[in-house]
């Protein structure tokens, strides 16, 4: 699963995908390594149009996954959207898109240490978006912090295409590569979502070197 991605394009690149976007992220620096439970920029619908804001990566975990645990570290990747746990957040009001320039999947080979392999749409790392969902939630993420209320996000996964499957055959993120696909994800009827939960065509991604 994708538990590491990067965003190295500036805010202007993100804003350029949306008309009238309300940027609430302040001075957003490059983020070459975004890990679970980090705060990262996400675009959602607001009352007056699209909003770019910081959210915490990791949606609430299903109840069965929390048995015997004192904290909820969150779920970063979402596959089974037929699950009642996830269906509550599939309406347009809870959908979002997550900007990125590259993402990694772990390469695991017998006798070798696991290492990340990075993928992007090109060597110049053009901006694209993960198809995601978000919510506001109260839970204990870390014992030392106690109960906190956070705005959380996660993104959908699907079967892997050829490039990702050569490294991580189980899954890849659902990726949106143009403004029309982004708007469709944010606005279509919930019944249409399964048709959007699909991999990129083979040959779309390439393996790149990690950020310095």
């Amino acid at each position: 699963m994708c538990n590491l991605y990067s965003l190295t394009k500036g805010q202007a690149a993100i804003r350029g995908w949306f008309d009238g976007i309300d940027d609430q992220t302040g001075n957003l620096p490059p983020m070459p390594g975004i890990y679970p439970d980090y705060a990262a920029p996400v675009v959602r619908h607001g009352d007056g149009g699209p909003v770019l804001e910081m959210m915490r990566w990791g949606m609430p975990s299903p109840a069965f996954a929390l048995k015997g645990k004192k904290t909820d570290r969150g779920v970063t990747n979402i596959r089974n959207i037929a699950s009642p746990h996830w269906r509550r957040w599939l309406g347009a009001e809870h959908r979002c898109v997550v900007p990125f320039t590259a993402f990694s999947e772990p390469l695991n080979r017998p006798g070798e240490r696991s290492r990340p392999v990075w993928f992007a749409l090109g060597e110049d790392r053009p901006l694209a978006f993960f198809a995601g969902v978000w919510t506001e939630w109260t839970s204990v993420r870390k014992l030392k912090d106690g109960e906190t209320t956070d705005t959380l996000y996660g993104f959908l996964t699907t079967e892997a295409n050829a490039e990702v499957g050569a490294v991580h055959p189980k899954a890849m993120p659902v990726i949106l590569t143009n403004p029309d696909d982004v708007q469709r994800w944010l606005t279509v009827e919930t019944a249409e979502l399964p048709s959007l939960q699909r991999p990129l065509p083979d040959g779309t991604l390439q393996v790149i070197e990690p950020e310095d």
Side-chain angles (χ1 to χ4, degrees):
M1 69 170 63
C2 175
N3 275 329
L4 172 61
Y5 70 96
S6 68
L7 175 62
T8 54
K9 300 295 184 187
Q11 288 159 280
I14 301 171
R15 292 193 296 259
W17 284 56
F18 303 90
D19 292 330
I21 190 169
D22 177 13
D23 184 352
Q24 300 180 1
T25 59
N27 184 19
L28 185 64
M31 303 180 74
I34 300 170
Y35 293 87
D37 212 36
Y38 276 35
V42 175
V43 179
R44 64 168 179 85
H45 274 311
D47 293 337
V51 177
L52 175 63
E53 66 178 84
M54 302 298 285
M55 298 186 187
R56 196 170 183 172
W57 188 15
M59 288 286 284
S61 299
F64 74 84
L66 297 176
K67 290 182 179 179
K69 297 182 179 179
K70 296 181 180 180
T71 62
D72 180 4
R73 299 178 63 184
V75 177
T76 56
N77 294 186
I78 300 158
R79 182 70 177 267
N80 182 17
I81 61 174
S83 162
H85 180 74
W86 300 119
R87 283 205 305 264
R88 73 183 97 173
W89 297 307
L90 294 181
E93 69 276 11
H94 280 284
R95 277 181 242 144
C96 64
V97 292
V98 182
F100 78 96
T101 49
F103 70 95
S104 79
E105 297 287 3
L107 176 63
N108 297 303
R109 289 177 174 168
E112 298 181 8
R113 293 182 61 184
S114 176
R115 64 178 178 87
V117 175
W118 285 88
F119 299 91
L121 294 171
E123 285 291 344
D124 58 343
R125 296 167 170 81
L127 184 68
F129 291 80
F130 300 127
V133 294
W134 72 278
T135 192
E136 188 175 277
W137 196 256
T138 300
S139 62
V140 178
R141 306 281 290 194
K142 297 179 180 179
L143 281 178
K144 67 181 181 66
D145 296 335
E147 194 172 73
T148 61
T149 298
D150 302 281
T151 306
L152 307 175
Y153 75 95
F155 46 78
L156 273 61
T157 62
T158 185
E159 60 269 22
N161 70 358
E163 298 89 78
V164 177
V167 173
H168 185 71
K170 292 184 178 180
M172 68 174 290
V174 176
I175 296 172
L176 310 170
T177 59
N178 62 70
D180 287 344
D181 286 346
V182 165
Q183 289 304 316
R184 188 177 177 209
W185 172 257
L186 292 173
T187 59
V188 297
E189 296 296 325
T190 304
E192 294 186 44
L193 295 187
S195 68
L196 302 180
Q197 192 180 12
R198 59 179 185 263
L200 288 179
D202 295 345
T204 306
L205 293 166
Q206 63 184 79
V207 175
I208 60 167
E209 293 298 319
E211 300 283 353
D212 294 333

